[in-house]
DNA sequence: ATTAATGCAAACGGTTTGCACTACT
DNA sequence: AGTAGTGCAAACCGTTTGCATTAAT
């Protein structure tokens, strides 16, 4: 029941933004924001719930998801879906790295900054402005491809 | 309880492929294959279940999902996740081009052969053998990126 | 005769909802 | 005081699992 340190930028203005719209700043929302503030890249809904509950047991799943709805409307987070189908909330524009994802075995490899840059350049001319940190290449790794070819190719 | 027309290519060889591995060709699997054969692009698990049951009420969800597992191991289908997080099964290799997918607006653009080739080369050294036709780049299109930046950047 | 595959029903996991209650403003 | 937000518990939906049974080889 202690009040924690003040929020770092760009989160500091959130309480005000909420109140401007007639919404409220609550301890539970504060906890959600604290977890989001220390998240780089993305976090799944379930993981966020778990991390919030470590900080504050009064935070319950429904509150987290309802808060995420509000935050998404404010444009603070954006959701998509991860490789496993769970909701994934992307926070800010952090230093996240892209990844190489095998659609068959689900393994992932990191994409290096230069690689991501090269890809971004490839598509820049046609107006698709990729951010290196948000690039995911879905394909099939060598092992899986060989197995598939043997079977059905 | 009628036997339907023979399977079109490349499905015709499936029964044999299964039996080669000690697996079996069953009426339920046939129904699943019939639906997949008339699917272009992709289909969700739930939708596949539903369409199978229209053809044959004895087909039950668990059978469909178990069959999909087998088919995926054979490389006949590949699964990913749609915008709503549900499993999405991609069928065959009739997709001769990869695509550029905006994670925010879900729009898609085609990737040209040369572009796909350039990407494949980028990752070949590390053993990730992408096939041009199976490359999907997930990112954010210019419009969506600008919108996100304005809101929170 | 073997044993892969099925149907059933129940479990699962992440997410959503209805409702009475709490607490920000 | 007014109403946004909460906790709870139950519903939800697509998918998965255990198990006894069926049927393809």
């Amino acid at each position: 029941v202690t009040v924690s340190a003040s929020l770092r930028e760009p989160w500091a203005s959130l309480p005000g933004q909420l109140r401007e719209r007639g919404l409220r700043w609550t301890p539970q929302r504060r906890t959600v924001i604290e977890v989001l503030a220390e998240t780089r890249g993305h976090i799944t809904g379930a993981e966020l719930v778990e991390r919030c509950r470590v900080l504050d047991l009064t935070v319950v799943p429904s509150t987290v998801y309802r808060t995420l709805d509000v935050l998404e409307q404010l444009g603070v987070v954006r959701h998509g879906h991860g490789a496993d189908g769970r909701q994934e909330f992307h926070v800010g524009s952090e230093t996240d790295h892209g990844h190489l994802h095998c659609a068959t075995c689900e393994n992932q490899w990191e994409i290096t900054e230069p690689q991501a840059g090269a890809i971004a350049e490839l598509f820049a001319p046609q107006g698709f402005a990729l951010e290196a940190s948000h690039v995911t290449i879905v394909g099939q790794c060598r092992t899986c491809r060989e197995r598939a070819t043997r079977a059905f190719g």
Side-chain angles (χ1 to χ4, degrees), chain A:
Chain A
V1 204
T2 1
V3 173
S4 24
S6 58
L7 297 163
R8 276 168 288 171
E9 290 303 333
W11 307 97
S13 60
L14 244 184
Q17 280 183 56
L18 289 170
R19 288 194 265 248
E20 266 172 33
R21 299 168 189 241
L23 307 176
R24 296 172 186 179
W25 181 241
T26 67
Q28 292 79 6
R29 288 189 172 173
R30 184 188 182 94
T31 301
V32 172
I33 295 305
E34 270 170 15
V35 174
L36 287 178
E38 66 194 19
T39 296
R40 55 194 187 95
H42 49 77
I43 186 171
T44 64
E47 198 179 330
L48 180 52
V49 167
E50 206 179 327
R51 305 227 326 240
C52 283
R53 290 183 62 83
V54 170
L55 297 181
D56 178 356
L57 269 174
T58 78
V59 179
V60 104
S62 48
T63 297
V64 172
Y65 287 106
R66 285 188 283 228
T67 297
L68 285 168
D69 280 350
V70 171
L71 294 178
E72 188 148 22
Q73 277 166 36
L74 294 182
V76 171
V77 299
R78 258 175 319 118
H79 87 280
H81 292 86
D84 56 358
R86 297 192 300 186
Q87 285 192 202
E88 213 167 56
F89 293 87
H90 295 258
V91 185
S93 46
E94 302 292 315
T95 32
D96 184 18
H97 49 73
H99 31 280
L100 201 54
H101 179 96
C102 173
T104 304
C105 64
E106 305 287 350
N107 281 337
Q108 289 203 350
W109 293 262
E110 270 189 31
I111 294 180
T112 65
E113 188 66 44
Q115 285 172 330
I119 293 166
E121 267 174 44
L122 215 49
F123 297 103
Q126 67 192 78
F128 198 90
L130 292 172
E131 247 182 286
S133 56
H134 287 144
V135 174
T136 300
I137 308 257
V138 181
Q140 224 175 359
C141 68
R142 175 153 42 193
T143 315
C144 290
R145 194 184 84 175
E146 281 167 4
R147 180 145 30 92
T149 305
R150 219 178 310 123
F152 198 60

